Amino acid sequence: TLIILLGFLCLLAPPLLSPPPPSLPSTSCLGLTSTEQLLDLFSDQSDTKPACFEGLKEVMDKVYRVETFRTEIEVPDGLVGMIRDKWFNSDKTLYGKFKKPKVLTVTDKYTYETTTVNPLRAMRPNMPDKGEELARVMKVIEDTREGCNFCNDQQTLEDSFGRVYWEKSHIFTSENAFRFYDYTGMVIPADVHDYTKLDAQTFEAIFAYAAVTWFGNIRDKNPGKTHPILVWDLLEKAGGSQAHPHITIFAGSGFYPGKMGHLEAASKRYATETGRDYLQDIIDIHVALGLGLRHKSAAVVVPITPNKDREIWVIGSSDLREFIWLYFIAFRSYIEELQVYCSSHGMALPTGEIGGKHPPDTTGGLMIVKMGSRGDCFSVHSDVSSLELYTINSISTDYYQTFKAVKKTYEKYRKITPEKYEGV
């Protein structure tokens, strides 16, 4: 009788759940310094793996599909001179890598973004002279200073509800002359014609005050405008209409439009299927890989599924100013370390940040900015092709070089503004 009773109770008992994935380390545990080492780690040919790798891989497998590919190329005698001597400056090591190419492909299982990288592309010699590019950028900035519309608010259009002024940093908002969405505005720092001189105070005033106030005004006018989006392109190569920095702002009605909407949908599906936080897992994975750092309530990562070279994501949660501070650090790393002068940026903010006169609303929960290089500002070659437009992303820079620059900038500003690092 006792055996029958126990058997009956077993039938009523809930099924045993699989154990949760192990906690990821709070810092990098792999010691990786290059994308090539990352590829080797995930290759079956890698014999020794760090002790923390299995726990990391268990979480990574929830988000990503990682594939590695190795092969060999036969180079005809007639091409050896051109490839070895001209392409690689007679560097035998690089030529050897060319003959045995390796490719890392990572697919996000929830956004379906696929990014492929051949580490050799980041090692090529004879790269463009960045000093010459900067000199030409500065000439464009100086040549457009006289008569610049954005240096004077009276030379720009005004929104139907008026302007937002942030006098402390001489920032104002304007209507976009050729709007592409229902309400389309711009935030403009009047006194900063040279975007390479943007400082932390101006950055915070643009994104944490002027833009947020504009979104609140829009929502007061139309309560359905709930999901804030900001986009920013630097110089013509990136799609900027003028050299003077100007951030375009608009809001979705009940959802984030476009790619940010895809990201939010992926995050929700991930939570439903795994019971985990999608963006938090992305942060933890990249920190463990040595491609991310946390700063209070925010984090910055160099993603393994980027759309563009030198791509950086900043992800926030509860404090907008801490998020904007890390964004400033990422921006300064472009200018001061990576010499990226033409770039594109896209940001989504939470609905709760633009309440206006309305009660608290958590409809839209994203606090993220993605930024990427648009290549040499004066190159006649396009930085996008059919691959990026319609299929997958192909990257030519090293993830770890990019993160090294971000971290160096982060530590540099620790000395300049130590108050921002209190409690870190």
Side-chain angles (χ1 to χ4, degrees), residues 14-30:
L16 292 175
L17 298 176
S18 59
S23 298
L24 293 178
S26 58
T27 59
S28 174
C29 62
L30 302 174

Side-chain angles (χ1 to χ4, degrees), residues 114-139:
T114 296
T115 299
T116 181
V117 57
N118 177 344
L120 181 62
R121 296 173 71 91
M123 303 177 193
R124 290 172 296 175
N126 302 321
M127 301 302 286
D129 184 346
K130 303 301 287 186
E132 179 182 343
E133 182 186 3
L134 177 59
R136 295 180 68 182
V137 166
M138 298 313 298
K139 186 177 188 305

Side-chain angles (χ1 to χ4, degrees), residues 24-285:
L24 293 178
S26 58
T27 59
S28 174
C29 62
L30 302 174
L32 303 179
T33 58
S34 71
T35 303
E36 184 175 28
Q37 291 179 0
L38 178 65
L39 186 156
D40 289 340
L41 179 68
F42 282 92
S43 170
D44 291 336
Q45 297 183 26
S46 178
D47 296 327
T48 58
K49 300 183 188 299
C52 65
F53 177 74
E54 288 306 318
L56 168 61
K57 188 175 184 301
E58 187 175 346
V59 179
M60 283 190 69
D61 286 345
K62 293 181 177 297
V63 184
Y64 301 111
R65 177 180 178 179
V66 180
E67 301 169 275
T68 61
F69 177 76
R70 297 168 181 261
T71 188
E72 292 191 20
I73 295 176
E74 293 295 330
V75 181
D77 293 341
L79 288 178
V80 171
M82 181 184 73
I83 296 174
R84 183 191 61 201
D85 302 332
K86 291 185 179 180
W87 291 6
F88 296 111
N89 284 350
S90 301
D91 187 313
K92 294 181 180 180
T93 300
L94 293 180
Y95 181 61
K97 291 178 182 293
F98 172 80
K99 293 176 66 177
K100 295 182 178 181
K102 299 185 287 187
V103 177
L104 173 67
T105 301
V106 181
T107 299
D108 186 310
K109 296 178 180 178
Y110 289 83
T111 65
Y112 303 107
E113 288 277 9
T114 296
T115 299
T116 181
V117 57
N118 177 344
L120 181 62
R121 296 173 71 91
M123 303 177 193
R124 290 172 296 175
N126 302 321
M127 301 302 286
D129 184 346
K130 303 301 287 186
E132 179 182 343
E133 182 186 3
L134 177 59
R136 295 180 68 182
V137 166
M138 298 313 298
K139 186 177 188 305
V140 168
I141 290 171
E142 291 307 314
D143 287 350
T144 56
R145 193 180 293 274
E146 185 176 351
C148 172
N149 297 73
F150 293 166
C151 288
N152 180 354
D153 66 319
Q154 296 307 305
Q155 297 295 315
T156 64
L157 300 175
E158 185 173 338
D159 290 300
S160 59
F161 56 82
R163 297 185 190 273
V164 173
Y165 286 100
W166 193 258
E167 297 292 349
K168 190 175 181 181
S169 297
H170 302 283
I171 292 168
F172 66 92
T173 62
S174 165
E175 171 65 64
N176 191 303
F178 297 96
R179 63 170 63 185
F180 54 83
Y181 215 63
D182 42 16
Y183 298 100
T184 311
M186 294 187 294
V187 183
I188 303 170
D191 292 350
V192 186
H193 184 75
D194 179 357
Y195 69 88
T196 70
K197 300 295 192 294
L198 281 167
D199 59 20
Q201 179 180 331
T202 306
F203 228 75
E204 184 171 299
I206 290 171
F207 295 101
Y209 298 106
V212 167
T213 303
W214 185 91
F215 283 121
N217 289 347
I218 287 295
R219 196 169 180 212
D220 287 342
K221 189 180 180 74
N222 183 342
K225 308 306 292 182
T226 52
H227 288 60
I229 295 288
L230 305 88
V231 292
W232 185 19
D233 297 303
L234 291 169
L235 298 187
E236 289 184 0
K237 181 63 181 291
S241 60
Q242 297 197 33
H244 192 119
H246 54 287
I247 293 84
T248 300
I249 48 181
F250 58 102
S253 301
F255 64 94
Y256 292 109
K259 290 180 172 58
M260 290 299 181
H262 287 300
L263 179 64
E264 185 180 48
S267 180
K268 290 179 177 179
R269 186 162 70 90
Y270 185 77
T272 299
E273 294 182 5
T274 69
R276 299 173 65 85
D277 186 308
Y278 173 78
L279 288 176
Q280 187 59 59
D281 275 357
I282 283 181
I283 292 170
D284 291 344
I285 287 167

